[in-house]
Amino acid sequence: MEKEKYLSPVLETLRHYPLQAGIEKAAGYAAEYAAGIGARPVYPHGEALAELEQLGGEVPEQPAATDEIIDILGHAGSDAAVSSTGGSYFGFVMGGSIPAGMCAGVLSSAWDQNAAKYAMSPVANELEGICEKWVTDILGLPAGTAMATVGGSSNATMIAITAARDALLARKGYDAGRDGLFGAPEIRAVIGAGAHPSVYRALSVIGLGSGRVEEVPCRPDGSMSADDLPELDDMTLLILQAGALHTGAFDEIRPICEKAGRAGAWVHIDGAVGLWAAASENLRHLTDGLELADSWAADAHKGLNAPYDCGIVLCRDRSALTASMGGADLSKIDVSAGTSRRDNMDYTYEMSRRARSVELWAVIKSLGREGIGQMQDELHAKAVYFAERLAGAGFEIMNDVTFIQFGAHWQDDETTAKVLKTVQDSGVCWMGGAEYKGKFCIRICVCSWRTTYEDIDVSADEIIRAAQKPR
Ligand SMILES: Cc1ncc(COP(=O)(O)O)c(C=O)c1O
C-alpha cells in the first residue's frame, strides 16, 4: 500500500507565512518598547495587568494567525511588562540589558541553537569556551577554571556544591554519583546566617539538608567574619557570600579562605550580586582573596547587565565539575559526531538549552574589561548618591552603601510601608521592601546601566514627597 503523503494544513499555512516580515514586525514592537522604556510606567498599572486576560481563556482549539499573535504580545504583553530595563527600576537585584546583549538575543532567537554539544552548535559551544576564558580572567580567578552558563545563581550554586559534595565524598573513596547518598560519609555544610535562601534550597535539593547546616553568626550587615568561623575540616563545604542580598556586604573572603584552605575545606562563593566588583579597581578590595575559593556562582543578568537567563557557574577543578555533571555515559547520545571540542553539557546538569553565551559574549565584547569595571563603579556611585539624597531628607539609611543596595526607613514601620506603597503606585519608579535590623525599609538597588542621576533625582523626589505628604 502506498503510504499517504500527509500534509498538515496548519503547517502548510505556516510554511507560507512571510517569516522575514513577521520577524520585522516583532522587531518593530521590540524596538518601540526598548526605545520608549522611559515613557512607560515602571510597573504595569491595573488596566495593563487586566489586559493579560486576553492571553488566557480555554485551550485554543483552532490555530491563530502569526501576525495576530505578534500584535497581542506587542500590545498587551509589552504593556504588562515591568520596565526593569529602564532607568527607574530599583527592585530586587535585577540589572538592565545593554544594547549589544539585547540585540544579540534577538539574533540568537532566530538561530535557535541547541547549546548542548559542539556537534549540535559549534557557535554556541565555542562562544561558551571563549566566555570561560574571559570571565575567569576578568574576575581574576585561577587559569583553567571551568565555567558554564546556567539559568541563574540558584542553579549555579546547586551545580557547584554538587561538584563539591562529590569531590569531598571521593576523598573518602565514596562515589556519590554511582552509589547515591545512602550510607555516605558525613559532609558538614557551614554557611553564614545571612546566606541567601537559594543556598538553603540548593543544599536541600542535593541531599545535604537545609536544616542541618552549621550557621555562622553574621555581623549586622549580613557578612561573615573569619573570627566567627567554627573549626573546619576536610569534609566541610563552606559557603561564602560576595554581596548580601539587601546590604551588598561582603564576607571576609581572604582570611576565611585561608583558614578553609589550611583545613582542606571546599569553599563555594555565592557571588550572584557582588562577583563583578572584582572587575573594578576601586571595588576589588571587596572581593580580595576571591581566587582562593574552589567554586563560584555569579549572575551576568545582574551586575553585568546581560539579558535574563544568564547565571554562571565556575569551578577551579574542571574534572571535579565534569565528573559530577557528566558522570553518566553521555556518549549514548551521539557517537557519530565525536569531537575533541568543548561540549557544554559536560559542565552542567542540562542537555538541551538555549545558547546563553551568545548574549554573554556580546556583552563582554561590548563593554570590555574597562567598561565592566566602570559599570560597577558607576552603579556604586549612584547608589551612594541615592542614599545621600534620602538621608538629606531625614530618612534613616540602614546600612553603609558598600556596593549597590541600601535600605531606607522613615519614622516607623507602618509609615515606611505606606510611603513605599505610594511610590510603587506612582509608576515613577519601583522598589521593594525588606526588613533591616528589625525595621521595615524601602529597599533600593541601583543595578541598571540606564539609570541616570536625573532618574535618581526624580525617584528620590517622589519618595520624599510621599514621605512628607502621606496620601
Ligand atoms: C545573594 C544572592 N544569591 C543568589 C541569588 C539567586 O540568583 P538567581 O535569582 O539568579 O537564581 C540571588 C538573587 O537575587 C542573590 O541576591
Side-chain angles (χ1 to χ4, degrees):
M1 195 177 81
E2 202 183 322
K3 211 172 170 194
E4 194 182 343
K5 286 186 173 165
Y6 174 72
L7 279 177
S8 147
V10 175
L11 298 187
E12 269 296 88
T13 309
L14 294 181
R15 279 189 281 267
H16 287 98
Y17 177 74
L19 187 53
Q20 183 166 344
I23 290 174
E24 281 166 6
K25 186 179 170 73
Y29 279 121
E32 196 184 316
Y33 175 85
I37 196 86
R40 291 180 169 273
V42 177
Y43 199 87
H45 44 74
E47 218 175 286
L49 294 175
E51 262 188 86
L52 286 176
E53 299 288 317
Q54 283 188 54
L55 278 58
E58 299 302 318
V59 175
E61 299 294 342
Q62 301 302 318
T66 302
D67 281 344
E68 187 196 330
I69 293 167
I70 299 171
D71 285 335
I72 293 174
L73 290 175
H75 291 289
S78 294
D79 287 350
V82 174
S83 301
S84 50
T85 58
S88 303
Y89 184 88
F90 305 102
F92 304 95
V93 185
M94 293 287 266
S97 189
I98 69 158
M102 197 183 277
C103 297
V106 173
L107 198 53
S108 181
S109 289
W111 294 348
D112 190 26
Q113 299 291 281
N114 184 341
K117 279 177 77 67
Y118 186 90
M120 293 170 178
S121 173
V123 65
N125 287 270
E126 282 292 305
L127 287 183
E128 193 132 323
I130 293 167
C131 287
E132 174 181 281
K133 187 162 166 289
W134 288 0
V135 168
T136 49
D137 194 326
I138 288 164
L139 296 176
L141 302 183
T145 293
M147 186 215 87
T149 59
V150 289
S153 274
S154 304
N155 239 328
T157 286
M158 189 183 71
I159 289 167
I161 67 172
T162 304
R165 179 198 71 186
D166 294 352
L168 291 176
L169 291 176
R171 289 178 182 172
K172 301 283 178 207
Y174 191 86
D175 184 341
R178 189 191 57 206
D179 299 331
L181 295 179
F182 311 98
E186 283 241 343
I187 291 178
R188 292 170 61 203
V190 178
I191 67 176
H196 191 266
S198 59
V199 171
Y200 290 87
R201 191 154 68 156
L203 285 164
S204 146
V205 169
I206 71 160
L208 295 184
S210 60
R212 61 182 284 288
V213 294
E214 293 173 48
E215 272 182 7
V216 182
C218 283
R219 299 181 282 210
D221 63 7
S223 66
M224 203 183 345
S225 153
D227 295 338
D228 294 324
L229 279 182
E231 277 304 308
L232 304 172
D233 57 42
D234 66 353
M235 287 302 281
T236 301
L237 165 60
L238 172 64
I239 302 180
L240 309 187
Q241 189 163 247
L245 174 62
H246 296 320
T247 63
F250 289 67
D251 290 349
E252 281 180 0
I253 297 177
R254 181 174 294 282
I256 294 178
C257 283
E258 283 171 353
K259 270 194 178 178
R262 284 193 291 275
W266 178 296
V267 181
H268 172 71
I269 300 185
D270 172 9
V273 170
L275 222 61
W276 301 109
S280 149
E281 276 177 35
N282 301 314
L283 296 169
R284 192 169 297 144
H285 62 277
L286 296 169
T287 60
D288 179 46
L290 194 66
E291 71 284 358
L292 301 176
D294 297 284
S295 59
W296 305 261
D299 271 340
H301 53 222
K302 291 189 168 71
L304 201 61
N305 278 246
Y308 256 84
D309 191 31
C310 201
I312 293 175
V313 55
L314 295 137
C315 187
R316 168 197 292 273
D317 180 347
R318 181 174 301 269
S319 59
L321 183 62
T322 55
S324 197
M325 293 296 132
D329 184 4
L330 299 174
S331 66
K332 283 184 194 150
I333 293 166
D334 175 50
V335 284
S336 67
T339 149
S340 58
R341 313 303 294 239
R342 173 193 173 101
D343 284 336
N344 289 333
M345 72 179 199
D346 293 343
Y347 293 84
T348 74
Y349 185 74
E350 293 172 303
M351 289 194 184
S352 296
R353 65 169 170 89
R354 58 186 293 282
R356 303 182 181 105
S357 279
V358 177
E359 286 112 313
L360 180 58
W361 177 88
V363 167
I364 299 173
K365 181 92 179 151
S366 168
L367 293 168
R369 194 195 298 272
E370 191 177 297
I372 295 171
Q374 284 177 13
M375 179 147 67
Q376 308 314 305
D377 291 344
E378 193 179 302
L379 296 174
H380 170 62
K382 285 176 171 163
V384 170
Y385 176 74
F386 205 149
E388 281 170 1
R389 280 286 332 262
L390 296 185
F395 277 84
E396 181 185 1
I397 305 302
M398 302 303 293
N399 58 291
D400 290 340
V401 190
T402 316
F403 196 39
I404 56 176
Q405 308 102 299
F406 66 93
H409 178 81
W410 181 258
Q411 289 177 354
D412 55 59
D413 286 1
E414 205 184 321
T415 317
T416 307
K418 273 191 196 150
V419 172
L420 176 60
K421 175 84 173 71
T422 306
V423 174
Q424 286 178 337
D425 289 347
S426 72
V428 171
C429 55
W430 200 93
M431 58 277 297
E435 203 181 286
Y436 283 61
K437 300 179 193 163
K439 289 184 180 177
F440 181 80
C441 291
I442 297 174
R443 178 196 175 284
I444 291 170
C445 176
V446 183
C447 200
S448 172
W449 70 282
R450 285 249 200 175
T451 299
T452 61
Y453 283 101
E454 199 188 356
D455 289 327
I456 292 176
D457 279 332
V458 170
S459 302
D461 289 345
E462 183 64 28
I463 297 170
I464 294 164
R465 200 167 26 247
Q468 290 175 345
K469 284 197 186 141
R471 282 165 222 172

